[in-house]
Amino acid sequence: MLRTPLFVAHERLNARLTDFAGWEMPLFYAGTAAEHRAVREGAGIFDLCHMGRLELTGEHAVSLLEAITPSSIRRLTVGGCRYTMILNERGGIVDDIIVTRLEEHRYHLCVNAVNRETVLAVLTARATDGVTVTDRTFDTGQIAVQGPDTPEVIAELLGDGPFPKFMRTVQAEWQGHPVSVSRTGYTGEVGVELFAPTAALDSLWEFLLEKAEPCGLGARDTLRLEMGYPLYGHELTADTTPPAAGLGWVVDWKRENLPARAALLNDRREPKQVLCGIRLTKPGVPREGCPVWIDGQVRGVMASGNMGISVGGGIGMAWLPLEYSDPGTEVAVEIRDRKLAAVVEEPPFYGDGTVRRVVD
Amino acid sequence: MAESVRFTRDHEWARNEGERVVVGITDYAQDALGDIVFVDLPEAGRVVAAGDEVAEVESTKTVSAVMAPLAGEILEVNGALAAQPEVINGDPFGKGWLFTLRPADPATLDELMDETAYRAYVEELSR
């Protein structure tokens, strides 16, 4: 199994470890609930070195990115970050990624660990003259700092520089190493993701640990679920298009040369199934795979589910036919041998997130 | 009958308190589960056989069935766990008890592992 450069630090903190996409990662340290609350109320740090970090350079890099994503990449300014998706020829989602324009002709892609090799293969196969693809996963690392206290936690790292605006990146320096500070995350709170050379990670982690709680993948999952953020392999698959996943907003419909345009338009007009938020109205915990009953029939299935630690009840996401997807629709989730009452709800389930807070 | 605590291979504990036996999950079980967020308890009055699934303990990462360690009738359940299931993590042998039962045959309790045997069993699992 792969280990991140911070593995020894996790062992020192007595982390409970788990296998995630072939990486031996912290599931939790003190406990998922406490870590979840630390992020909602203070600040937490996550080792995200397992995620894929790929770089595209060259004047045709922008064309390559627009050939495989439905976004307008050329409108992204230097220092901007964009959430988008790599699509297959049917419009199915190969991966959901964040593209950051670092320089005029230099782009950074943060991709899911489970899809790193697939994305790398797509990029390499389609790279023409004037585009260079570099896998930076193993010579750089990634640490997320998330929670309302993030600006104080990273103040020393930023020095005199400004805290980045939402979906923007700024450059900082840590002990002589360059650090990209991106205002991105997966928790619904104000926060950043730090990208740095491997050599800088240990001291960066120790510095952050003085002011923030270490958090594992358990809290990462309960936090993202409360916001209704999708997770690849659960809400998003190669058989799902962005509009069917309720993420049609990532598509720039004005683009003439959209990849898989016909399939995307078709799912926009009449999606067969749509991804819906589900909140139990009785005590219980829905899980992936639980059938969803409406009007006496199974109409859908849970894609994800867990206890909402901050919302105080069972929540999740489910695929439902369009006619049953309106917020307020009464459903029942089958959990083992029981059917528990639930209701369709438009995420986020947790409405007090600080993710877009303006930081001066 | 002297007070005694016994253990099952499924990591339940059962403590003899005169007429009734108090049942919970062990420290090993709560630690393996992680943060407990939901507990489903049986109805009082239910008659159960040894090994019957009578409760569910659910953590942020998984769900685990709790078996009746011996045959009998469910007397009381720990209602405080509905609001504070995390008490099981903090005090699995005390405030985190799940239910009590009146054993059909009190002697069957002695057929379960005693503390020494259970410790050895857990050590074997952890190896």
Side-chain angles (χ1 to χ4, degrees):
Chain A
M1 229 179 325
L2 294 164
R3 291 174 170 180
T4 80
L6 293 168
F7 186 80
V8 174
H10 304 323
E11 281 193 315
R12 214 160 37 224
L13 290 165
N14 258 321
R16 186 73 53 87
L17 300 165
T18 188
D19 173 12
F20 185 80
W23 293 78
E24 196 170 9
M25 298 298 293
L27 180 62
F28 59 82
Y29 304 81
T32 295
E35 292 162 23
H36 177 112
R37 291 192 188 99
V39 170
R40 289 270 180 258
E41 293 158 17
I45 54 174
F46 300 80
D47 174 8
L48 301 183
C49 293
H50 66 299
M51 297 198 76
R53 287 171 294 281
L54 312 176
E55 244 179 55
L56 278 186
T57 52
E59 60 177 312
H60 297 305
V62 63
S63 307
L64 169 54
L65 285 171
E66 290 201 343
I68 57 174
T69 73
S71 301
S72 174
I73 303 297
R74 59 191 72 235
R75 292 220 313 266
L76 189 62
T77 57
V78 172
C81 310
R82 181 151 300 171
Y83 176 72
T84 186
M85 292 163 176
I86 295 175
L87 304 182
N88 61 27
E89 66 284 355
R90 291 168 287 118
I93 301 165
V94 175
D95 197 18
D96 63 327
I97 67 173
I98 287 184
V99 177
T100 301
R101 189 170 194 173
L102 294 172
E103 295 168 13
E104 181 69 22
H105 295 301
R106 180 165 162 242
Y107 294 87
H108 182 275
L109 276 59
C110 180
V111 310
N112 282 294
V114 65
N115 292 325
R116 182 178 59 88
E117 284 175 7
T118 310
V119 173
L120 202 50
V122 169
L123 294 174
T124 308
R126 304 191 64 150
T128 51
D129 285 348
V131 182
T132 309
V133 182
T134 316
D135 186 355
R136 304 296 308 272
T137 306
F138 298 98
D139 68 333
T140 65
Q142 181 176 348
I143 299 171
V145 188
Q146 301 279 300
D149 290 350
T150 300
E152 292 91 273
V153 173
I154 66 162
E156 192 182 328
L157 168 66
L158 291 176
D160 295 334
F163 192 80
K165 292 188 164 49
F166 185 60
M167 296 304 277
R168 300 286 303 173
T169 191
V170 298
Q171 300 304 313
E173 200 180 280
W174 182 253
Q175 298 182 347
H177 300 286
V179 181
S180 288
V181 183
S182 290
R183 176 84 184 268
T184 51
Y186 199 43
T187 63
E189 301 300 333
V190 62
V192 295
E193 291 177 303
L194 309 176
F195 299 87
T198 307
L201 295 173
D202 271 329
S203 72
L204 201 49
W205 178 264
E206 291 305 318
F207 156 69
L208 297 167
L209 206 51
E210 288 172 18
K211 293 176 179 164
E213 288 299 313
C215 299
L217 294 181
R220 187 166 161 81
D221 194 50
T222 56
L223 288 159
R224 70 96 188 169
L225 199 59
E226 282 187 336
M227 298 307 293
Y229 295 157
L231 173 61
Y232 197 87
H234 299 258
E235 284 78 15
L236 310 179
T237 70
D239 297 320
T240 309
T241 65
L247 293 163
W249 59 266
V250 307
V251 181
D252 183 349
W253 298 103
K254 293 193 293 293
R255 264 187 58 190
E256 294 288 320
N257 54 347
L258 271 180
R261 183 184 182 87
L264 296 183
L265 279 170
N266 195 50
D267 271 0
R268 182 198 196 187
R269 269 196 304 271
E270 39 185 343
K272 285 177 274 301
Q273 290 211 303
V274 291
L275 193 63
C276 300
I278 301 284
R279 187 197 285 250
L280 294 195
T281 50
K282 291 270 160 39
V285 185
R287 298 285 181 181
E288 179 179 5
C290 287
V292 180
W293 291 72
I294 307 172
D295 290 347
Q297 273 190 51
V298 175
R299 311 273 183 184
V301 63
M302 299 296 298
S304 285
N306 209 325
M307 177 61 75
I309 307 236
S310 299
V311 305
I315 53 170
M317 310 286 283
W319 293 100
L320 295 177
L322 183 63
E323 61 267 37
Y324 295 106
S325 63
D326 287 339
T329 303
E330 289 179 6
V331 307
V333 180
E334 185 180 333
I335 303 176
R336 290 172 290 280
D337 55 346
R338 286 175 306 163
K339 291 187 193 129
L340 293 180
V343 66
V344 175
E345 180 175 322
E346 176 125 28
F349 300 101
Y350 179 74
D352 296 330
T354 56
V355 59
R356 284 168 189 269
R357 177 182 287 178
V358 176
V359 180
D360 295 320
Chain B
M1 208 159 36
E3 181 179 297
S4 59
V5 186
R6 298 285 160 148
F7 300 86
T8 70
R9 296 174 68 84
D10 302 310
H11 308 284
E12 291 97 10
W13 56 261
R15 188 173 57 230
N16 182 11
E17 288 188 355
E19 295 284 287
R20 51 180 209 165
V21 170
V22 188
V23 179
I25 64 169
T26 65
D27 190 54
Y28 177 89
Q30 71 78 19
D31 186 61
L33 279 165
D35 282 356
I36 292 165
V37 292
F38 179 69
V39 185
D40 187 38
L41 295 170
E43 301 270 314
R46 182 171 154 194
V47 176
V48 299
D52 278 3
E53 286 188 15
V54 290
E56 284 171 356
V57 176
E58 189 137 11
S59 72
T60 49
K61 66 174 178 177
T62 189
V63 61
S64 175
V66 179
M67 265 66 91
L70 47 167
E73 181 191 347
I74 306 288
L75 293 178
E76 308 139 280
V77 300
N78 186 354
L81 296 179
Q84 289 187 300
E86 66 274 16
V87 166
I88 299 172
N89 291 115
D91 191 8
F93 295 110
K95 291 194 178 109
W97 66 277
L98 298 179
F99 56 86
T100 64
L101 59 78
R102 187 197 339 261
D105 176 4
T108 51
L109 187 61
D110 294 331
E111 293 165 13
L112 301 175
M113 283 180 276
D114 64 14
E115 190 165 349
T116 311
Y118 180 69
R119 274 180 198 280
Y121 171 66
V122 164
E123 228 163 81
E124 191 69 27
L125 290 178
S126 313
R127 203 163 287 162

